[in-house]
Amino acid sequence: MSFIGCLAIGLWYWVCQSDLSKVLIVPGDTYWMGLIIGLFFGNPAKGFMIAATIELAYMGVVGVGGTLPSDKKLAALIAIPLSLQLNLELGTALAIAIPFGMLGGIITNTGYALCSFTHEIMVRHVKEKKYGALYFDAYGYPLLVKLPLAVIPVTAILVRPRLLLLQDHSRRLHALLRRHRHLHCSSHREQHEPRRPQSHCKRVHFEGGLA
């Protein structure tokens, strides 16, 4: 997957985490994520199966008091493209999704903590009677805070396996070239070197028996 695709998935997660998901028509359900990413990779059936497996694992997860222990959206947006890109099985995809879901909970709660400073800004704007700035305080600041928290980790995680795949392909190509060169040199040496006469095996007769 290209860097643009990784960045698009990072922006997708940012929209799902922010209030833009209420305005923009962006699919935030796990099933839609699996179907769309699967269509991008040319295998929508497997993408949907991975999404359904992740959904089964997160059916009992409940956010108590507004906190999110684990985020199935990040788990799906990371595990589905990685599984399709690396051709992994469903069990391996689920094993990848669980820790990244926990990372999504940390990212979400960190965003809530960083957005708490907007309360003081809103109080100051009310005292100064700048009521027009309240809308930006309530929606603009959280969007700007959550943008790097959501986009940078997702993009970095999805780009890294692509670099590993390129390194693996380069190693395989280098090994194939070395093997081809070795075979070519061996055949060239056999053609130009004179053949040595084969030595016949000598038969050895043991006289007598064992003592």
Side-chain angles (χ1 to χ4, degrees), residues 48-112:
F48 194 83
M49 291 173 63
I50 297 172
T53 306
I54 295 173
E55 187 71 25
L56 286 174
Y58 283 90
M59 286 182 65
V61 177
V62 179
V64 180
T67 59
L68 192 65
S70 185
D71 189 5
K72 67 177 181 180
K73 296 178 182 178
L74 181 61
L77 289 175
I78 294 293
I80 295 173
L82 286 182
S83 302
L84 294 175
Q85 186 177 4
L86 302 177
N87 195 18
L88 303 178
E89 298 180 355
L90 295 179
T92 309
L94 182 60
I96 292 175
I98 298 300
F100 284 115
M102 298 177 65
L103 176 62
I106 296 174
I107 291 176
T108 303
N109 296 326
T110 303
Y112 290 156

Side-chain angles (χ1 to χ4, degrees), residues 126-166:
V126 169
K127 291 181 179 179
E128 296 175 357
K129 297 182 179 180
K130 296 180 179 179
Y131 302 110
L134 294 178
Y135 185 83
F136 183 80
D137 296 338
Y139 295 100
Y141 281 122
L143 287 176
L144 295 178
V145 169
K146 293 180 180 179
L147 179 61
L149 288 176
V151 176
I152 294 177
V154 175
T155 307
I157 291 169
L158 293 178
V159 166
R160 183 59 183 170
R162 178 174 175 267
L163 297 178
L164 293 177
L165 283 176
L166 290 177

Side-chain angles (χ1 to χ4, degrees), residues 9-25:
I9 294 179
L11 292 173
W12 189 353
Y13 178 63
W14 172 61
V15 173
C16 292
Q17 287 293 101
S18 62
D19 293 329
L20 290 175
S21 59
K22 302 175 182 178
V23 180
L24 301 177
I25 304 176

Side-chain angles (χ1 to χ4, degrees), residues 188-195:
H188 183 74
R189 191 182 301 114
E190 290 178 358
Q191 290 177 1
H192 291 276
E193 288 184 356
R195 293 186 178 181

